[in-house]
Amino acid sequence: MNTVKKTIVGLTGGIGSGKSAAAKIFLALGVEVIDADALAREVVELGQPALSDIAAHFGDGILTTEGNLDRAALRSIVFSNPEHKSWLEGLLHPLIAELLQRRLDATKSPYAILESPLLLETEQHKLVQRVLVIDADEETQIARALRRDGGDEKTIRSIIASQINRDERVQRADDLVPNEASLEQLKVNIEALHSKYMEMVTE
Ligand code: ATP
C-alpha cells in the first residue's frame, strides 16, 4: 500500500520574531501544532531515562533537591565546554527527533506545524516538507523579547548571535512572513498562507 507522507510545515524564526504568535493563529484555524521546545523539556522530565543519563554523566549537581533538572546548572556546564555540549546534544537530539516524528505522525489536521526555534540549526528540518520563517529585524526582536521576558539586552543579543543568521534563515525559507507590523497584520498573512497550504494538501 502506498502511504502519502503528510505535509508538515516547519515554523521557525529568531528569538522574539513571533513564532508562538504565528503558531497560535494556525491553532485557531484548526491546524495542529507540535512545539519542539515543549517536547525538548518533556524528554528530560523527572522519571525520563535521559534525565538519569545526564545525572550519571555530569553528577547529581545538575539536579535540584526535588530531583528535577537544574537547567541553570546544566547550562553553565555545557556553555563552558564544547565537548560537554556535544555529548548532551548527541543524547538529546535523536530522542527529541524520534518523539517529534511520533507526535507529528499522530496529528489529524490536513497538514501540521512543527514550531521550532532550532529547526534549521538541528536535523529537525529533515522532518518537514516546507520551511516557514517568521522574520523581524534585530531591534524588533530585542524590544519584544525584553517586553515579554524582562532581562537584559546583552543576553538577548548573545542569543541572537548563537542562532543562525538572519540572511541564511531567510534564504532557506519556502515561505517568509515579515512580522514588524501589528498582530492583526500577522493574522492576515498567516490566514493567507493557511489557504495556500490547504490548497496544496487537497490538490
Ligand atoms: P521565542 O523564540 O523567544 O520563543 P517567538 O518567536 O516565539 O520567541 P513570540 O513569543 O511569538 O516570539 O513573540 C514575542 C513577543 O512579541 C510576544 O509577547 C508576542 O505577543 C509579541 N509579538 C509578536 N508579534 C507581534 C506583533 N506583530 N506585534 C506586536 N507584538 C508582537
Side-chain angles (χ1 to χ4, degrees), residues 12-24 37 115 117 134 140-141 143-145 147-149 159 163 178-186:
T12 194
I15 179 172
S17 58
K19 291 178 294 297
S20 304
K24 267 191 214 149
D37 257 358
E115 178 194 350
I134 308 297
T140 306
Q141 286 181 269
R144 285 189 188 145
R147 212 178 318 127
R148 188 192 55 191
D149 304 332
I159 293 171
Q163 298 180 328
N179 183 31
E180 280 150 13
S182 64
L183 280 169
E184 287 69 29
Q185 185 58 51
L186 179 65

Side-chain angles (χ1 to χ4, degrees), residues 11 18-31 33 113 115 183 186-187 190:
L11 169 63
K19 291 178 294 297
S20 304
K24 267 191 214 149
I25 301 167
F26 278 111
L27 256 182
L29 293 165
V31 182
V33 177
I113 299 277
E115 178 194 350
L183 280 169
L186 179 65
K187 187 162 175 264
I190 296 295

